[in-house]
Amino acid sequence: MTLPAAFLTTPIAHRALHDLQAGRPENSVEAVRAAVDAGYGIEIDLQLSQDGEAIVFHDYDLARLTGERGPVQMRKAADLVQIPLTGGSHPIPTLELILQEVAGRVPLLIEIKDQDGALGPAVGRLEQATAAALKGYRGDVAVMSFNPNSVRVFGGLAPDVPVGLTTCDFNATDWPLVPKARRDRLAALPDIKASRAKFISHDRNDLHSPHVARLKAQGLPVLCWTIRSAREEAEARRIADNVTFEGYDAVIPA
């Protein structure tokens, strides 16, 4: 299963087209609707509820994005979908709700957040929930994760959905809970074959990595994150095939 061409031609709104001043929190129904209306692709993040549902939310804890505190995984889905997102008018959405909102109208890029804690093999429940929600979905969709184990497991559950790796240099500052040996290995991007990844989405600050150049030379599509200005986009596109953006209006090619 190859990556649909729309992921290489349509700029992708990071956590949907969010803008708090406009009442559109990240990963919200409002931000998703705005991205669809603008014709952008959409990137969203998934966390797992206590009872095994795929929840559209970036952080592991509720505090930054809601008036609540505590881990997402400690709340049942029925409770999470009652919690308002700060700055918006809708509560935290499930993946199923966002799929209904998008309805195949624009490409949807889904990131499964690591549930192992150290990018290791203790994964499976969120991958199962994601595969179940996507069963029968009609539209361009792809799934990715920083954890190659997650990508491999999800791919086995949903072989008709293209998968990719979210990647970076895996430095100690950003990944303090991941052992150095694991970080060093992941930084070399060795898991394309084992995970059956059809693309990478790489940190824009590390696009000049020789590991990225190697994969690009092999014909693997390269997306990037997170672009925050037209200047950054122009620079990134010297290497990347497409961008994930926020905070400005990316130009959709004619």
Side-chain angles (χ1 to χ4, degrees):
M1 177 60 64
T2 59
L3 186 68
F7 286 100
L8 304 179
T9 57
T10 307
I12 301 167
H14 185 234
R15 304 180 196 171
L17 195 61
H18 62 91
D19 181 348
L20 268 182
Q21 292 185 343
R24 304 196 304 265
E26 62 184 62
N27 281 314
S28 68
V29 168
E30 298 96 323
V32 165
R33 288 176 177 173
V36 171
D37 289 345
Y40 290 126
I42 296 171
E43 185 263 355
I44 58 172
D45 305 286
L46 298 184
Q47 294 284 3
L48 185 70
S49 72
Q50 186 182 60
D51 51 346
E53 293 294 321
I55 303 298
V56 180
F57 201 79
H58 177 271
D59 296 2
Y60 294 93
D61 192 274
L62 293 163
R64 181 177 69 91
L65 298 167
T66 77
E68 302 281 332
R69 293 183 178 275
V72 174
Q73 272 204 29
M74 298 301 291
R75 305 284 189 104
K76 292 183 177 180
D79 297 327
L80 290 167
V81 299
Q82 299 299 318
I83 298 174
L85 289 165
T86 301
S89 58
H90 286 76
I92 298 170
T94 62
L95 175 56
E96 288 187 353
L97 176 59
I98 294 304
L99 292 176
Q100 293 171 17
E101 289 287 341
V102 177
R105 291 177 290 173
V106 297
L108 181 63
L109 181 60
I110 299 172
E111 181 179 335
I112 296 178
K113 305 305 289 186
D114 176 45
Q115 304 296 298
D116 174 272
L119 300 175
V123 299
R125 291 183 71 212
L126 183 50
E127 292 73 18
Q128 290 172 359
T130 305
L134 285 172
K135 189 174 182 179
Y137 179 74
R138 296 184 180 276
D140 289 333
V141 64
V143 171
M144 64 183 183
S145 179
F146 280 104
N147 189 335
N149 296 291
S150 179
V151 175
R152 174 181 51 80
V153 170
F154 174 83
L157 294 166
D160 57 334
V161 178
V163 296
L165 292 170
T166 325
T167 51
C168 60
D169 65 357
F170 293 95
N171 62 77
T173 300
D174 293 335
W175 300 91
L177 300 180
V178 180
K180 183 178 185 303
R182 179 68 172 155
R183 289 190 287 101
D184 289 346
R185 182 184 183 282
L186 289 172
L189 311 185
D191 294 301
I192 302 300
K193 183 176 181 180
S195 65
R196 299 185 179 90
K198 303 304 181 184
F199 66 97
I200 62 170
S201 181
H202 199 74
D203 180 1
R204 72 167 187 88
N205 294 304
D206 190 53
L207 280 174
H208 291 281
S209 163
H211 305 301
V212 173
R214 167 177 53 85
L215 295 177
K216 188 173 177 64
Q218 294 172 3
L220 195 77
V222 176
L223 312 182
C224 71
W225 56 272
T226 301
I227 302 299
R228 294 183 171 87
S229 70
R231 180 187 61 79
E232 289 183 2
E233 179 177 347
E235 177 68 23
R237 284 190 179 279
R238 296 178 183 178
I239 296 172
D241 297 294
N242 199 10
V243 300
T244 305
F245 73 95
E246 65 176 34
Y248 75 105
D249 294 331
V251 175
I252 299 175

